[in-house]
Amino acid sequence: DTAVSQTPKYLVTQMGNDKSIKCEQNLGHDTMYWYKQDSKKFLKIMFSYNNKELIINETVPNRFSPKSPDKAHLNLHINSLELGDSAVYFCASSQGQGGGETQYFGPGTRLLVL
Amino acid sequence: DAKTTQPTSMDCAEGRAANLPCNHSTISGNEYVYWYRQIHSQGPQYIIHGLKNNETNEMASLIITEDRKSSTLILPHATLRDTAVYYCIVRVSNYGGATNKLIFGTGTLLAVQP
């Protein structure tokens, strides 16, 4: 009954590979997000989707392509992985309407690029 | 980009109240103050939020000064499981209210001591 789930939990891969991270929420929320937490523990938003529409794109390289097949899913595909992509990626969701849109975070996907 | 200032770290004895301060002197009139925490290796967890009035829930209390330039998160009886990084966030609401961007700062590492 996990609210926001991510797969995989760990991902180790070589430079230049293409990989995907999946996120699902069962909270019935309209909005989903991807955040990146780097080695210095800074947590920054990357993307946000509302009802499958891209709302926020924080100048992330176009090697990163989010896809939202439906409101409950937001996947992140990364092409041509680089060493600097190593980080923990968190998915989150919120109701997205009105005030007080609390965001609920998933457990994170730890990506290591070798 | 974060518009909040927090101490880097704090200690608290188990069973005592933990008071975590946050300065947000440039807060706008319609911006909320949110508190999240991140326990080691987990996703951020929502704690509480407020606009003007003091707020209390089952986890914590939030005290906001009258001029709204600072706030304090209070954990009334800290336990070892409350050891975490606590983030004070001023919520930026754009895009017609459909979604909100949380800007995380460096937070305060609260260490609860036995």
Side-chain angles (χ1 to χ4, degrees):
Chain A
D1 59 348
T2 304
V4 182
S5 59
Q6 297 179 226
T7 54
K9 187 173 182 179
Y10 299 95
L11 184 55
V12 181
T13 188
Q14 300 286 332
M15 277 177 52
N17 284 350
D18 303 338
K19 291 293 179 185
S20 292
I21 307 172
K22 296 185 177 181
C23 178
E24 177 181 2
Q25 55 93 5
N26 62 6
L27 298 167
H29 288 166
D30 295 327
T31 308
M32 297 184 72
Y33 311 78
W34 277 110
Y35 287 82
K36 178 182 179 180
Q37 188 167 39
D38 60 24
S39 57
K40 295 183 178 179
K41 302 299 184 183
F42 290 116
L43 192 62
K44 290 187 177 180
I45 190 167
M46 300 173 67
F47 299 102
S48 173
Y49 271 73
N50 177 258
N51 282 318
K52 303 192 296 176
E53 180 184 352
L54 180 65
I55 300 297
I56 296 175
N57 182 339
E58 287 291 306
T59 61
V60 176
N62 57 16
R63 297 183 295 105
F64 290 80
S65 52
K67 285 189 170 50
S68 182
D70 55 59
K71 284 197 317 183
H73 297 84
L74 181 62
N75 303 323
L76 184 64
H77 187 76
I78 314 171
N79 290 325
S80 303
L81 278 156
E82 300 177 356
L83 294 177
D85 297 332
S86 296
V88 183
Y89 292 84
F90 289 101
C91 177
S93 73
S94 68
Q95 184 56 36
Q97 297 293 330
E101 296 94 334
T102 299
Q103 294 185 20
Y104 296 85
F105 286 78
T109 294
R110 286 138 189 87
L111 172 66
L112 177 61
V113 182
L114 302 174
Chain B
D1 294 329
K3 297 190 289 184
T4 63
T5 304
Q6 299 176 251
T8 302
S9 63
M10 292 181 64
D11 287 345
C12 177
E14 189 178 18
R16 304 296 295 269
N19 297 292
L20 292 92
C22 179
N23 287 323
H24 32 78
S25 58
T26 60
I27 191 170
S28 299
N30 60 352
E31 289 181 316
Y32 287 76
V33 179
Y34 272 73
W35 283 84
Y36 282 75
R37 73 179 181 183
Q38 188 174 23
I39 296 170
H40 181 62
S41 297
Q42 297 183 20
Q45 177 190 23
Y46 165 79
I47 302 174
I48 199 168
H49 74 280
L51 183 63
K52 295 180 181 178
N53 299 322
N54 298 338
E55 301 289 338
T56 296
N57 63 19
E58 65 278 4
M59 289 183 68
S61 294
L62 174 60
I63 309 298
I64 303 175
T65 57
E66 192 169 343
D67 62 9
R68 302 212 322 126
K69 292 185 177 182
S70 65
S71 61
T72 301
L73 177 74
I74 301 173
L75 306 178
H77 306 287
T79 71
L80 298 178
R81 287 178 294 182
D82 291 322
T83 292
V85 177
Y86 287 77
Y87 296 99
C88 169
I89 301 164
V90 170
R91 192 190 73 181
V92 177
S93 177
N94 290 318
Y95 314 106
T99 188
N100 296 280
K101 183 166 64 174
L102 292 178
I103 300 176
F104 287 83
T106 54
T108 296
L109 174 58
L110 174 68
V112 180
Q113 309 291 342

